[in-house]
Amino acid sequence: MKNIRMNFICKLHAWRHFFLCALFLIAVSGCDNTLEEINRNPNNPEDIEPELLMVTIIRGTVNQMVDEGYNTGNIVAQFSAQIREPGTDRYVWGSFNTWSNGYTVLRDVMNLYHIADERGLNNYKGIALVMRALIFSRMTDAYGDLPYLEALKGKDDSPTYAPKYDTQQEIYAGLLKELEEANQLLSADGGAIRNDILYGNESFAGDPIKWKKLANSLKLRLLVRQSNKIDPSQQLAEILNNPAKYPIFESNADQATLKYTQSPNLFPVTGNRIGHWRDRRLSKTVSDWLNNTKDPRLKVLAMPTVDSQEAFAAGTGPLVWAGVRNGEEDKNLGSNIDDRVSALGEIFYKDLLVPVLAHGLVMTYAEVQFILAEAAAKGWITGNPETHYLAGIKSSVDFYRTVSGVNIEATEDFLKMPGVKFEAANALTLIGTQKWVSLFFHDMQAWHEWKRTGIPDIKPSIVNNNNNRIPVRFQYPAAQQETNRANYEEAVKRQGTDDINTRLWWQK
């Protein structure tokens, strides 16, 4: 009986299996693409909309610029100083994250370019090229030679896993060509731009002409930055003599700044603990300059000291803005230093529930005006350098008044202050110094400009680990010596020792 019963059960299972298989085959044959639909992941769509990639690229890039400006750029340009654990301030440097962050976002940039190319969306192609030029220029200005032409090809049909390092001269030439192509692609006929968090209107519809102006303004930056090696006169004239073809920033309304609100567009530094924020204070270098020239921007860029606020409230003294020396000696960094030196301005840090007023600066109209002022002073272009110089100062002050709501103005008295008043004999120093001030908390651009011009005359940190030399580059990531050693060694042999004192091509 037991065997009969077991046999019956086995036959029952077999018929059940057959029945289920038959149902499965009927379902497959009767419903086209059913399995494909079942296996499709709705959270990982195969068809990516270009505007979604664009938002990720813009936010990721500008957030990196803000973070790296706060952690490195502000410090080495002596806008801020560390009053606790001053490793960056004392030049205890390595690679930093500019390399890995840059290449990570560049993968999305290339995806955006290819998607836009396949769909004939010229404006998105142009935006991809502008962002590519911005990111690569940030990276090469920090490291020098790096993978460019063969980079980002690990998933190609003929993949390159160990890309060669291109020279900075080759990279700059390539980026200028890419910005030229972007200028040609961006137009009113290039297709709608959606979800543009950089240049969008209230409905986030982007303006291709403003992206076009950014492309050409970035081109001005690169042409002048390499001017110690290549005369920019011809290319500057080509741009400036044909504004219809090569529009550039014409006012603060054109400049590229990302307005931060609340999540997901939260000012990156806001996520730091308050103690980390308080560890950065106004540098004595910039505070002395702003105080001596009675610069109205000081009220926005920094807070009065706690000691002076208390005295002012008690009616026993004025508000005071004071900085701390970069790399200050440990004996002078006591606990009471918090009350004696100024924190950075309130526009840069608030409670998580309150949006900061700061913008992520990509490129400003003030920078363009100082570029033109320098070009005119050096005879690269025609025009009056003083006109551009004053326009640069006024537009910078206007920007901070608009952003902060603080009633500041570039008054005639301020513009006539010693050290501010334009003098032809001292034009380049004046232009370079005011450009430096305008680049406060602007990525690492003030550092790069100081490397190029030596203006202003910044002194090394008081205590430092670099033999009293201000660093001029980042070291390559250590992983490059393992994963791309042959190309790394070739670049080092060509460029110079992989340390923080090897000058870049456009510096030499």
Side-chain angles (χ1 to χ4, degrees), residues 219 223 230-241 246 379-381:
K219 196 171 182 181
L223 288 171
I230 298 176
D231 186 340
S233 302
Q234 182 176 345
Q235 288 180 279
L236 289 175
E238 181 181 5
I239 295 170
L240 299 175
N241 293 339
Y246 296 107
W380 294 333
I381 63 172

Side-chain angles (χ1 to χ4, degrees), residues 384-404:
N384 186 344
E386 181 178 7
T387 300
H388 294 298
Y389 170 77
L390 293 175
I393 297 174
K394 290 176 182 177
S395 63
S396 178
V397 174
D398 287 347
F399 170 71
Y400 283 110
R401 180 181 65 248
T402 302
V403 169
S404 68

Side-chain angles (χ1 to χ4, degrees), residues 17 28 121 137 241 253 280 297 310 312 326 333 342 472:
H17 180 73
V28 170
L121 303 174
S137 64
N241 293 339
R280 266 77 167 170
R297 288 167 289 189
E310 293 175 352
F312 184 77
N326 288 83
L333 294 175
S342 295
V472 295

Side-chain angles (χ1 to χ4, degrees), residues 26-241:
I26 291 170
V28 170
S29 61
C31 302
D32 292 339
N33 299 322
T34 301
L35 286 179
E36 185 177 338
E37 292 296 329
I38 292 173
N39 288 316
R40 179 170 291 143
N41 182 355
N43 297 317
N44 187 25
E46 295 177 5
D47 297 325
I48 301 175
E49 294 304 319
E51 60 264 29
L52 299 180
L53 270 177
M54 181 184 70
V55 169
T56 299
I57 291 164
I58 294 172
R59 183 181 291 125
T61 301
V62 182
N63 284 359
Q64 288 171 20
M65 294 171 73
V66 171
D67 268 332
E68 292 168 21
Y70 173 72
N71 288 308
T72 310
N74 277 4
I75 294 171
V76 70
Q78 298 190 5
F79 296 139
S80 63
Q82 293 173 296
I83 60 173
R84 277 175 282 274
E85 300 180 2
T88 302
D89 226 343
R90 293 180 178 175
Y91 311 145
V92 183
W93 284 22
S95 169
F96 294 101
N97 294 322
T98 306
W99 181 285
S100 57
N101 288 343
Y103 281 116
T104 297
V105 177
L106 280 167
R107 282 193 287 270
D108 284 334
V109 172
M110 294 312 299
N111 287 335
L112 174 60
Y113 181 87
H114 291 313
I115 290 170
D117 188 42
E118 290 171 359
R119 302 183 191 181
L121 303 174
N122 281 350
N123 280 337
Y124 284 117
K125 279 180 68 177
I127 290 171
L129 289 172
V130 172
M131 295 305 296
R132 178 177 158 91
L134 173 67
I135 297 167
F136 263 121
S137 64
R138 293 186 68 242
M139 293 168 65
T140 187
D141 287 348
Y143 296 93
D145 298 358
L146 47 77
Y148 169 63
L149 292 174
E150 292 184 359
L152 309 166
K153 294 187 176 182
K155 294 185 178 181
D156 285 8
D157 293 336
S158 298
T160 300
Y161 299 116
K164 75 179 184 68
Y165 286 55
D166 297 287
T167 67
Q168 187 171 58
Q169 182 175 3
E170 291 168 333
I171 295 168
Y172 259 66
L175 297 181
L176 289 169
K177 288 180 180 178
E178 290 181 15
L179 289 171
E180 175 67 29
E181 182 182 353
N183 178 70
Q184 295 173 7
L185 289 167
L186 291 159
S187 72
D189 300 324
I193 304 172
R194 301 181 181 88
N195 292 353
D196 188 348
I197 61 174
L198 186 64
Y199 274 131
N201 56 23
E202 292 181 357
S203 60
F204 293 101
D207 184 344
I209 304 306
K210 287 191 174 181
W211 278 99
K212 196 181 187 80
K213 289 181 177 181
L214 174 57
N216 293 314
S217 298
L218 278 174
K219 196 171 182 181
L220 295 180
R221 175 195 283 177
L222 298 188
L223 288 171
V224 170
R225 189 152 293 164
Q226 69 171 11
S227 61
N228 288 339
K229 287 293 186 180
I230 298 176
D231 186 340
S233 302
Q234 182 176 345
Q235 288 180 279
L236 289 175
E238 181 181 5
I239 295 170
L240 299 175
N241 293 339

